[in-house]
Amino acid sequence: MTEIHTPRLLLRRWDEDDLIAMADINADPAVMQWTGDGSVRDLEQTADDIERWEEEWDEEGFGLFAVELLGSGELAGFTGLTLPTSLPELMPTTGICWRLGRQFWGQGYASEAAHASLEFALQDRGLDRVVGVARVGDTASANVLRKLGMAPERTMTHPEYGHDLAVHSIDLTEYEG
Ligand SMILES: CC(C)(COP(=O)(O)OP(=O)(O)OC[C@H]1O[C@@H](n2cnc3c(N)ncnc32)[C@H](O)[C@@H]1OP(=O)(O)O)[C@@H](O)C(=O)NCCC(=O)NCCS
């Protein structure tokens, strides 16, 4: 069972009790504004997402962690590693990404979970490089990428939606946490 404790969070695999809370997060247009084409996702789509995320864990040995608040046990969203297969020109590579419910923003949770995910990538999975891709204009994600020490590499155009993406990367052999 892959679980990571940070000072305030538990990062863990998904279970069926997460569906309603994750669907609520996915139903918020402000949360989804910078993801894909900006569409919200309903309960059925969220169930499919969680199934896919769990499959990625089984197949790759890494994936998106369910991020739970220690103490309250609330699901705050996800942070973790994923294969950015929708961006073929970046493949093969491993990406880091995040999505938290709006009430969990502005408290440092995304950065705390992302740091732990990079440590997991390096120490547990032996990965030496991780990319982070954010839509140009997504300042909250750009801020997290900067705090992680991920260096801007280049911009590219999303092959499906046509918007600009900023590609960042980090050499984990030099990662200091
Ligand atoms: C992107 C996203 C995860 C960023 O979340 P966030 O809460 O802004 O990010 P952080 O965890 O870094 O926290 C930010 C702020 O919390 C504040 N904060 C409050 N308490 C804190 C604490 N104990 N420790 C650290 N920071 C704290 C800090 O001021 C920090 O801002 P700063 O870096 O300017 O000082 C969030 O906006 C989100 O889920 N957005 C929707 C999904 C999305 O867009 N995903 C990316 C596209 S796929």
Side-chain angles (χ1 to χ4, degrees):
M1 193 71 183
T2 306
E3 288 192 349
I4 300 175
H5 282 85
T6 70
R8 298 180 295 168
L9 305 169
L10 170 63
L11 277 55
R12 57 164 175 79
R13 297 276 297 259
W14 297 85
D15 64 49
E16 53 197 37
D17 292 342
D18 296 320
L19 175 58
I20 303 290
M22 194 64 222
D24 281 348
I25 295 169
N26 281 347
D28 183 344
V31 169
M32 299 305 287
Q33 178 185 4
W34 300 105
T35 299
D37 65 356
S39 303
V40 296
R41 296 184 71 70
D42 66 17
L43 188 72
E44 200 176 322
Q45 290 169 315
T46 304
D48 291 345
D49 291 343
I50 291 176
E51 194 178 323
R52 198 162 27 81
W53 299 338
E54 274 299 305
E55 278 169 15
E56 188 165 37
W57 270 106
D58 291 340
E59 286 165 14
E60 304 298 334
F62 58 72
L64 300 176
F65 290 102
V67 176
E68 182 181 310
L69 264 56
L70 290 175
S72 73
E74 288 168 284
L75 182 80
F78 70 68
T79 299
L81 305 171
T82 189
L83 297 180
T85 50
S86 62
L87 303 173
E89 74 175 82
L90 295 182
M91 296 301 290
T93 194
T94 306
I96 186 166
C97 63
W98 34 71
R99 183 185 305 159
L100 300 186
R102 215 190 312 182
Q103 67 271 41
F104 304 106
W105 296 356
Q107 298 171 73
Y109 292 142
S111 296
E112 188 169 318
H115 274 293
S117 298
L118 285 185
E119 272 172 33
F120 170 79
L122 173 67
Q123 290 166 8
D124 217 284
R125 299 296 117 146
L127 300 175
D128 55 14
R129 182 173 177 275
V130 167
V131 302
V133 182
R135 253 184 90 169
V136 172
D138 176 2
T139 50
S141 288
N143 192 27
V144 178
L145 288 161
R146 181 183 50 76
K147 288 187 284 183
L148 290 173
M150 300 194 73
E153 243 180 29
R154 64 191 174 100
T155 56
M156 60 177 277
T157 303
H158 195 292
E160 198 176 340
Y161 307 122
H163 51 235
D164 291 335
L165 299 171
V167 182
H168 296 64
S169 70
I170 186 163
D171 176 355
L172 289 177
T173 60
E174 293 176 8
Y175 180 64
E176 287 167 4

